[in-house]
Amino acid sequence: NAGVTQTPKFQVLKTGQSMTLQCAQDMNHNSMYWYRQDPGMGLRLIYYSASEGTTDKGEVPNGYNVSRLNKREFSLRLESAAPSQTSVYFCASTNRGGYEQYFGPGTRLTVT
Amino acid sequence: RKEVEQDPGPFNVPEGATVAFNCTYSNSASQSFFWYRQDCRKEPKLLMSVYSSGNEDGRFTAQLNRASQYISLLIRDSKLSDSATYLCVVRLTGGFKTIFGAGTRLFVKA
């Protein structure tokens, strides 16, 4: 039981490049989330998916798109990376009750 | 103003000390409350939920005051392994939007 997995662990992009961050969970959770964490800011919600087939914007969605590919997988896409998107990105999932969020190990992204 | 505010610290305490962290929240739609722990360069993990009646888990005690919109975490008999960042977390009514505080850093020294 791997929990929540994320790939890649580290990535360096040039401004304007695109990439997709992958997230998968094997806990049969309904809801999945993408956050970014910046120093002094706490985790901020980018997008979430309450259940398979639905996605909604969070606090900071600009510059990102998401896909809930199936119940297990929720990907985050940066279409044209900007230096302001340098951050640590965490994927999380919760069960139906939403009691506890389980996080992946994070992706450290640097945009130069 | 941030929706969830915490003292960033750091708190530097000796082993065996008692330390308390405070957190205030501003969104009246706040429904559920948690403390998460985050080790350096790791993902956050749930430490404990916070209930209005107060709750305890070993050396950790959490309190919630809904009228004052205030949450606290007390750690007794601090251990070196308690060194981490403690995140105050509020989940809004509806269940999907969760707001994280920026965290309070704790260093426990021998």
Side-chain angles (χ1 to χ4, degrees):
Chain A
N1 190 337
V4 180
T5 57
Q6 290 183 237
T7 55
K9 285 190 167 49
F10 301 92
Q11 184 71 49
V12 178
L13 292 178
K14 293 188 189 318
T15 297
Q17 287 185 316
S18 63
M19 78 161 296
T20 300
L21 280 64
Q22 307 287 353
C23 173
Q25 51 91 10
D26 61 3
M27 296 174 283
N28 201 36
H29 285 170
N30 289 305
S31 303
M32 298 185 73
Y33 308 78
W34 276 105
Y35 293 92
R36 61 177 287 172
Q37 186 173 34
D38 302 294
M41 299 291 290
L43 280 87
R44 291 183 291 169
L45 183 63
I46 304 171
Y47 272 92
Y48 66 97
S49 171
S51 60
E52 187 179 352
T54 69
T55 61
D56 284 286
K57 295 179 180 179
E59 183 186 354
V60 288
N62 291 343
Y64 305 95
N65 285 301
V66 290
S67 295
R68 183 75 183 266
L69 303 170
N70 46 55
K71 191 170 186 179
R72 290 187 64 248
E73 298 172 287
F74 188 38
S75 63
L76 178 72
R77 183 159 179 84
L78 287 70
E79 291 291 351
S80 179
S84 61
Q85 293 178 306
T86 293
S87 189
V88 181
Y89 291 84
F90 287 103
C91 177
S93 69
T94 60
N95 58 17
R96 189 174 293 279
Y99 172 74
E100 176 178 358
Q101 293 201 19
Y102 294 82
F103 285 85
T107 294
R108 283 167 174 75
L109 176 67
T110 301
V111 183
T112 60
Chain B
R1 183 187 170 191
K2 293 179 184 176
E3 288 193 82
V4 176
E5 297 216 48
Q6 299 182 245
D7 181 342
F11 285 60
N12 292 289
V13 303
E15 269 187 300
T18 295
V19 61
F21 302 140
N22 302 319
C23 168
T24 57
Y25 63 94
S26 59
N27 195 319
S28 59
S30 301
Q31 181 185 43
S32 306
F33 308 89
F34 309 90
W35 285 101
Y36 276 69
R37 171 193 168 125
Q38 186 173 23
D39 293 309
C40 188
R41 300 181 71 80
K42 298 285 190 182
E43 71 272 23
K45 292 184 180 178
L46 179 66
L47 178 67
M48 59 195 302
S49 297
V50 187
Y51 304 115
S52 297
S53 55
N55 50 298
E56 190 174 303
D57 183 1
R59 299 181 292 109
F60 299 83
T61 300
Q63 297 274 358
L64 167 65
N65 184 322
R66 285 186 186 267
S68 303
Q69 298 188 223
Y70 170 90
I71 306 161
S72 66
L73 176 68
L74 183 76
I75 305 175
R76 292 182 300 278
D77 189 22
S78 298
K79 311 290 185 194
L80 294 175
S81 57
D82 293 334
S83 297
T85 297
Y86 291 84
L87 308 176
C88 177
V89 181
V90 171
R91 194 173 76 211
L92 303 183
T93 304
F96 298 111
K97 289 197 176 177
T98 304
I99 303 170
F100 285 75
T104 299
R105 295 194 73 183
L106 172 66
F107 294 101
V108 181
K109 310 244 184 222

